[in-house]
Amino acid sequence: MTRNRSPIDQFRGLPLHNLIGGPLNATPAAQEALARAEAEFMAMIAASEAPTEAEDQDPDA
């Protein structure tokens, strides 16, 4: 006869610190990497010399 295990017993022995703590500890590092990538992208776009709408207009028209 098989003994029914309670849900709590099924989780005994699992490395809950790693399963829960790992992603929680990785979140700030991922957010920092995303913020750096966004800042680099914005700086790259701002540094590009795309003509503005006023520069596109023909002054002789």
Side-chain angles (χ1 to χ4, degrees):
M1 184 171 201
T2 320
R3 182 179 147 229
N4 289 336
R5 296 173 61 186
S6 74
I8 294 173
D9 289 337
Q10 293 176 5
F11 289 103
R12 290 196 198 284
L14 285 177
L16 292 179
H17 179 267
N18 294 339
L19 292 172
I20 295 171
L24 288 176
N25 289 331
T27 299
Q31 289 176 338
E32 179 183 3
L34 177 61
R36 287 184 190 277
E38 286 178 304
E40 289 173 12
F41 175 75
M42 288 181 211
M44 180 181 68
I45 296 300
S48 69
E49 296 187 23
T52 63
E53 193 174 311
E55 292 173 345
D56 287 340
Q57 294 177 357
D58 186 9
D60 296 328

Coordinates of all heavy atoms in Angstrom, one line a residue:
M1 N 0.8 -1.2 0.0 CA 0.0 0.0 0.0 C 0.9 1.2 0.0 O 1.8 1.3 0.7 CB -0.9 0.0 1.2 CG -1.9 1.1 1.3 SD -3.0 0.7 2.7 CE -4.3 1.6 2.2
T2 N 0.6 2.2 -0.9 CA 1.3 3.4 -1.0 C 0.9 4.5 0.0 O -0.3 4.7 0.1 CB 1.2 4.0 -2.4 OG1 1.2 2.9 -3.3 CG2 2.3 4.9 -2.7
R3 N 1.8 5.1 0.6 CA 1.5 6.1 1.6 C 1.2 7.4 0.8 O 2.1 7.8 0.0 CB 2.6 6.2 2.6 CG 2.4 7.3 3.6 CD 3.6 7.3 4.6 NE 3.7 8.7 5.0 CZ 4.8 9.4 5.0 NH1 5.9 8.9 4.6 NH2 4.8 10.6 5.5
N4 N 0.1 8.1 1.1 CA -0.1 9.4 0.5 C 0.7 10.4 1.2 O 0.7 10.5 2.4 CB -1.6 9.8 0.6 CG -2.5 8.9 -0.3 OD1 -2.0 8.4 -1.3 ND2 -3.7 8.8 0.0
R5 N 1.5 11.2 0.4 CA 2.3 12.2 1.0 C 1.6 13.5 1.0 O 0.9 13.8 0.0 CB 3.6 12.3 0.2 CG 4.4 11.0 0.3 CD 5.6 11.1 -0.6 NE 6.5 12.2 -0.3 CZ 7.6 12.5 -1.0 NH1 7.9 11.9 -2.0 NH2 8.3 13.6 -0.6
S6 N 1.7 14.3 2.0 CA 1.1 15.6 2.1 C 1.9 16.5 1.2 O 3.1 16.3 0.9 CB 1.1 16.1 3.5 OG 2.4 16.5 3.9
P7 N 1.3 17.6 0.7 CA 2.0 18.6 -0.1 C 3.3 19.1 0.5 O 4.3 19.3 -0.1 CB 1.0 19.7 -0.3 CG -0.3 19.0 -0.2 CD -0.1 18.0 0.9
I8 N 3.2 19.3 1.9 CA 4.4 19.8 2.6 C 5.5 18.8 2.5 O 6.7 19.1 2.3 CB 4.0 20.1 4.0 CG1 3.1 21.3 4.1 CG2 5.3 20.4 4.8 CD1 2.5 21.6 5.4
D9 N 5.2 17.5 2.7 CA 6.2 16.5 2.6 C 6.9 16.4 1.2 O 8.0 16.1 1.1 CB 5.6 15.1 2.9 CG 5.3 15.0 4.4 OD1 5.9 15.7 5.2 OD2 4.4 14.1 4.7
Q10 N 6.1 16.7 0.2 CA 6.6 16.6 -1.2 C 7.7 17.7 -1.4 O 8.5 17.6 -2.3 CB 5.5 16.8 -2.2 CG 4.6 15.6 -2.2 CD 3.4 15.8 -3.1 OE1 3.3 16.8 -3.8 NE2 2.4 14.9 -3.1
F11 N 7.7 18.8 -0.7 CA 8.6 19.9 -0.9 C 9.9 19.8 0.1 O 10.8 20.5 -0.1 CB 8.0 21.2 -0.7 CG 7.0 21.6 -1.8 CD1 5.7 21.5 -1.6 CD2 7.5 22.0 -3.0 CE1 4.8 21.8 -2.6 CE2 6.7 22.4 -4.0 CZ 5.3 22.3 -3.8
R12 N 9.8 18.8 1.0 CA 11.0 18.7 1.9 C 12.2 18.2 1.1 O 12.1 17.4 0.2 CB 10.7 17.6 3.0 CG 9.6 18.1 3.9 CD 9.6 17.2 5.2 NE 8.4 17.3 5.9 CZ 8.1 18.4 6.7 NH1 9.0 19.4 6.8 NH2 7.0 18.4 7.4
G13 N 13.3 18.9 1.4 CA 14.5 18.5 0.7 C 14.8 19.4 -0.5 O 15.9 19.3 -1.0
L14 N 13.8 20.1 -1.0 CA 14.1 21.0 -2.1 C 14.9 22.2 -1.7 O 14.7 22.7 -0.6 CB 12.8 21.5 -2.7 CG 12.0 20.5 -3.6 CD1 10.7 21.1 -4.1 CD2 12.8 20.0 -4.8
P15 N 15.8 22.7 -2.5 CA 16.6 23.8 -2.1 C 15.8 25.1 -2.4 O 16.0 25.9 -3.3 CB 17.8 23.8 -3.1 CG 17.3 23.0 -4.3 CD 16.3 22.1 -3.7
L16 N 14.8 25.4 -1.5 CA 13.9 26.5 -1.7 C 14.7 27.8 -1.7 O 14.3 28.8 -2.4 CB 12.8 26.5 -0.6 CG 11.8 25.3 -0.7 CD1 10.8 25.4 0.4 CD2 11.2 25.4 -2.0
H17 N 15.8 27.9 -0.9 CA 16.6 29.1 -0.9 C 17.0 29.4 -2.3 O 17.0 30.6 -2.8 CB 17.7 29.0 0.1 CG 18.6 30.2 0.1 ND1 19.7 30.4 -0.7 CD2 18.5 31.3 0.8 CE1 20.3 31.5 -0.4 NE2 19.6 32.1 0.5
N18 N 17.5 28.4 -3.0 CA 18.0 28.6 -4.4 C 16.8 28.8 -5.4 O 16.9 29.6 -6.3 CB 18.8 27.4 -4.8 CG 20.1 27.3 -4.1 OD1 20.6 28.3 -3.5 ND2 20.7 26.2 -4.1
L19 N 15.8 28.1 -5.2 CA 14.6 28.2 -6.1 C 13.9 29.5 -6.0 O 13.5 30.0 -7.1 CB 13.6 27.1 -5.9 CG 14.1 25.6 -6.2 CD1 13.1 24.6 -5.7 CD2 14.3 25.5 -7.7
I20 N 13.9 30.1 -4.9 CA 13.2 31.4 -4.7 C 14.2 32.5 -4.6 O 14.0 33.5 -5.3 CB 12.3 31.3 -3.4 CG1 11.2 30.3 -3.5 CG2 11.7 32.7 -3.1 CD1 10.4 30.0 -2.3
G21 N 15.2 32.3 -3.9 CA 16.2 33.4 -3.7 C 17.0 33.7 -5.0 O 17.4 34.9 -5.2
G22 N 17.3 32.7 -5.8 CA 18.1 33.0 -7.0 C 17.5 34.0 -7.9 O 18.1 35.0 -8.3
P23 N 16.2 33.8 -8.3 CA 15.6 34.8 -9.2 C 15.4 36.1 -8.5 O 15.6 37.2 -9.2 CB 14.2 34.1 -9.5 CG 14.4 32.7 -9.3 CD 15.4 32.5 -8.2
L24 N 15.2 36.1 -7.2 CA 15.0 37.4 -6.5 C 16.3 38.2 -6.5 O 16.3 39.4 -6.6 CB 14.5 37.2 -5.1 CG 13.0 36.8 -5.0 CD1 12.7 36.5 -3.5 CD2 12.1 37.8 -5.5
N25 N 17.4 37.5 -6.4 CA 18.7 38.1 -6.4 C 19.1 38.6 -7.8 O 19.9 39.5 -7.9 CB 19.8 37.2 -5.8 CG 19.6 37.0 -4.3 OD1 19.1 37.9 -3.6 ND2 20.0 35.9 -3.8
A26 N 18.7 37.9 -8.8 CA 19.1 38.2 -10.2 C 18.3 39.4 -10.7 O 18.7 40.0 -11.7 CB 18.9 37.0 -11.1
T27 N 17.1 39.7 -10.1 CA 16.3 40.7 -10.7 C 17.0 42.1 -10.7 O 16.9 42.8 -11.7 CB 15.0 40.8 -9.9 OG1 14.3 39.5 -10.0 CG2 14.1 41.9 -10.4
P28 N 17.6 42.6 -9.6 CA 18.3 43.9 -9.7 C 19.4 43.9 -10.7 O 19.5 45.0 -11.4 CB 18.8 44.1 -8.3 CG 18.1 43.2 -7.4 CD 17.7 42.0 -8.3
A29 N 20.1 42.9 -10.9 CA 21.2 42.9 -11.9 C 20.6 43.0 -13.3 O 21.1 43.7 -14.2 CB 22.0 41.6 -11.8
A30 N 19.5 42.3 -13.5 CA 18.8 42.3 -14.9 C 18.3 43.7 -15.1 O 18.3 44.3 -16.2 CB 17.7 41.3 -14.9
Q31 N 17.7 44.4 -14.1 CA 17.1 45.7 -14.2 C 18.3 46.7 -14.5 O 18.1 47.6 -15.3 CB 16.4 46.1 -13.0 CG 15.0 45.4 -12.9 CD 14.3 45.7 -11.6 OE1 14.9 46.1 -10.6 NE2 13.0 45.5 -11.6
E32 N 19.4 46.5 -13.9 CA 20.5 47.4 -14.1 C 21.0 47.3 -15.6 O 21.3 48.3 -16.2 CB 21.7 47.1 -13.1 CG 22.9 48.0 -13.4 CD 24.0 47.7 -12.5 OE1 24.0 46.7 -11.7 OE2 25.1 48.4 -12.5
A33 N 21.1 46.0 -16.0 CA 21.6 45.8 -17.4 C 20.6 46.4 -18.4 O 21.0 47.0 -19.4 CB 21.7 44.3 -17.7
L34 N 19.3 46.3 -18.1 CA 18.3 46.9 -19.0 C 18.4 48.4 -19.0 O 18.4 49.0 -20.1 CB 16.9 46.5 -18.6 CG 15.7 47.1 -19.4 CD1 15.8 46.7 -20.8 CD2 14.4 46.6 -18.8
A35 N 18.6 49.0 -17.9 CA 18.7 50.5 -17.8 C 20.0 51.0 -18.5 O 19.9 52.0 -19.2 CB 18.8 50.9 -16.3
R36 N 21.1 50.2 -18.4 CA 22.3 50.6 -19.1 C 22.1 50.5 -20.6 O 22.5 51.4 -21.4 CB 23.5 49.7 -18.7 CG 24.0 50.0 -17.4 CD 25.2 49.2 -17.1 NE 25.6 49.3 -15.7 CZ 26.3 50.2 -15.2 NH1 26.8 51.2 -16.0 NH2 26.7 50.3 -13.9
A37 N 21.4 49.4 -21.1 CA 21.2 49.3 -22.5 C 20.3 50.4 -23.0 O 20.5 50.9 -24.1 CB 20.5 47.9 -22.8
E38 N 19.2 50.7 -22.3 CA 18.4 51.8 -22.7 C 19.1 53.2 -22.8 O 18.9 53.9 -23.7 CB 17.2 52.0 -21.7 CG 16.2 50.9 -21.8 CD 15.1 51.1 -20.7 OE1 15.4 51.1 -19.5 OE2 13.9 51.2 -21.1
A39 N 20.0 53.4 -21.8 CA 20.7 54.7 -21.8 C 21.7 54.7 -23.0 O 21.8 55.8 -23.6 CB 21.5 54.8 -20.5
E40 N 22.3 53.6 -23.3 CA 23.2 53.5 -24.4 C 22.5 53.8 -25.7 O 22.9 54.5 -26.6 CB 24.0 52.2 -24.5 CG 25.0 52.1 -23.4 CD 25.6 50.7 -23.3 OE1 25.4 49.9 -24.3 OE2 26.3 50.4 -22.3
F41 N 21.3 53.2 -25.8 CA 20.5 53.3 -27.0 C 20.1 54.8 -27.2 O 20.2 55.4 -28.3 CB 19.3 52.4 -27.0 CG 18.3 52.6 -28.1 CD1 18.6 52.1 -29.4 CD2 17.1 53.3 -27.9 CE1 17.7 52.3 -30.4 CE2 16.2 53.5 -29.0 CZ 16.6 53.0 -30.2
M42 N 19.6 55.4 -26.1 CA 19.2 56.8 -26.2 C 20.3 57.7 -26.5 O 20.2 58.7 -27.3 CB 18.5 57.2 -24.9 CG 17.2 56.6 -24.6 SD 16.5 57.2 -23.1 CE 15.5 55.8 -22.6
A43 N 21.5 57.4 -26.0 CA 22.7 58.3 -26.3 C 23.1 58.1 -27.8 O 23.4 59.1 -28.4 CB 23.8 57.9 -25.4
M44 N 23.0 56.9 -28.3 CA 23.3 56.6 -29.7 C 22.3 57.4 -30.6 O 22.7 58.0 -31.6 CB 23.2 55.1 -30.0 CG 23.6 54.8 -31.4 SD 23.4 53.0 -31.7 CE 21.7 52.7 -31.5
I45 N 21.0 57.3 -30.3 CA 20.0 58.0 -31.1 C 20.2 59.5 -31.0 O 20.2 60.2 -32.0 CB 18.6 57.6 -30.6 CG1 18.3 56.2 -30.8 CG2 17.6 58.5 -31.3 CD1 18.5 55.7 -32.3
A46 N 20.5 60.0 -29.8 CA 20.7 61.5 -29.6 C 22.0 61.9 -30.4 O 22.0 63.1 -30.9 CB 20.8 61.8 -28.2
A47 N 23.0 61.1 -30.5 CA 24.2 61.5 -31.1 C 24.1 61.4 -32.6 O 25.0 62.0 -33.3 CB 25.3 60.6 -30.6
S48 N 23.2 60.7 -33.1 CA 23.1 60.6 -34.6 C 22.6 61.9 -35.1 O 21.9 62.7 -34.5 CB 22.1 59.5 -35.0 OG 20.8 59.9 -34.7
E49 N 23.1 62.3 -36.3 CA 22.8 63.6 -36.8 C 21.7 63.5 -37.9 O 21.9 63.9 -39.0 CB 24.1 64.2 -37.4 CG 25.2 64.4 -36.4 CD 26.4 65.1 -36.9 OE1 26.2 65.8 -37.9 OE2 27.4 65.0 -36.3
A50 N 20.6 63.1 -37.5 CA 19.4 63.0 -38.4 C 18.9 64.5 -38.5 O 18.8 65.2 -37.6 CB 18.3 62.2 -37.8
P51 N 18.6 64.9 -39.7 CA 18.1 66.2 -39.9 C 16.8 66.4 -39.3 O 15.9 65.5 -39.2 CB 18.0 66.4 -41.5 CG 18.0 65.0 -42.0 CD 18.7 64.1 -41.0
T52 N 16.6 67.6 -38.8 CA 15.3 67.9 -38.2 C 14.3 68.4 -39.3 O 14.7 68.6 -40.4 CB 15.4 69.1 -37.2 OG1 15.9 70.2 -37.9 CG2 16.4 68.7 -36.1
E53 N 13.1 68.5 -39.0 CA 12.1 68.9 -39.9 C 12.4 70.3 -40.5 O 12.2 70.5 -41.7 CB 10.7 68.9 -39.3 CG 9.6 69.0 -40.2 CD 8.2 68.9 -39.6 OE1 8.0 67.9 -38.8 OE2 7.4 69.7 -39.8
A54 N 12.9 71.2 -39.7 CA 13.2 72.5 -40.2 C 14.4 72.5 -41.2 O 14.4 73.2 -42.2 CB 13.6 73.4 -39.1
E55 N 15.4 71.6 -41.0 CA 16.5 71.4 -41.9 C 16.1 70.8 -43.2 O 16.8 71.0 -44.2 CB 17.6 70.6 -41.2 CG 18.2 71.3 -40.1 CD 19.2 70.4 -39.3 OE1 19.2 69.2 -39.5 OE2 20.0 71.0 -38.5
D56 N 15.0 70.0 -43.2 CA 14.6 69.3 -44.4 C 13.9 70.3 -45.4 O 13.8 70.0 -46.6 CB 13.6 68.2 -44.1 CG 14.2 67.0 -43.4 OD1 15.5 66.9 -43.6 OD2 13.5 66.2 -42.8
Q57 N 13.4 71.4 -44.9 CA 12.7 72.3 -45.8 C 13.7 73.1 -46.7 O 14.7 73.5 -46.3 CB 11.9 73.3 -45.0 CG 10.8 72.7 -44.2 CD 10.0 73.6 -43.3 OE1 10.4 74.8 -43.2 NE2 9.0 73.2 -42.6
D58 N 13.2 73.3 -47.9 CA 14.1 74.0 -48.9 C 13.9 75.5 -48.7 O 12.8 76.0 -48.8 CB 13.6 73.6 -50.3 CG 14.5 74.2 -51.4 OD1 15.5 74.8 -51.1 OD2 14.1 74.1 -52.6
P59 N 15.0 76.2 -48.4 CA 14.9 77.6 -48.1 C 14.5 78.4 -49.4 O 14.0 79.6 -49.2 CB 16.3 78.0 -47.6 CG 17.2 77.0 -48.1 CD 16.3 75.7 -48.2
D60 N 14.7 77.9 -50.5 CA 14.4 78.6 -51.8 C 12.9 78.4 -52.2 O 12.5 79.0 -53.2 CB 15.3 78.2 -52.9 CG 16.8 78.6 -52.6 OD1 17.0 79.6 -51.9 OD2 17.7 77.9 -53.0
A61 N 12.2 77.6 -51.5 CA 10.9 77.2 -52.0 C 9.9 78.3 -51.7 O 10.0 79.2 -51.0 CB 10.4 75.9 -51.4

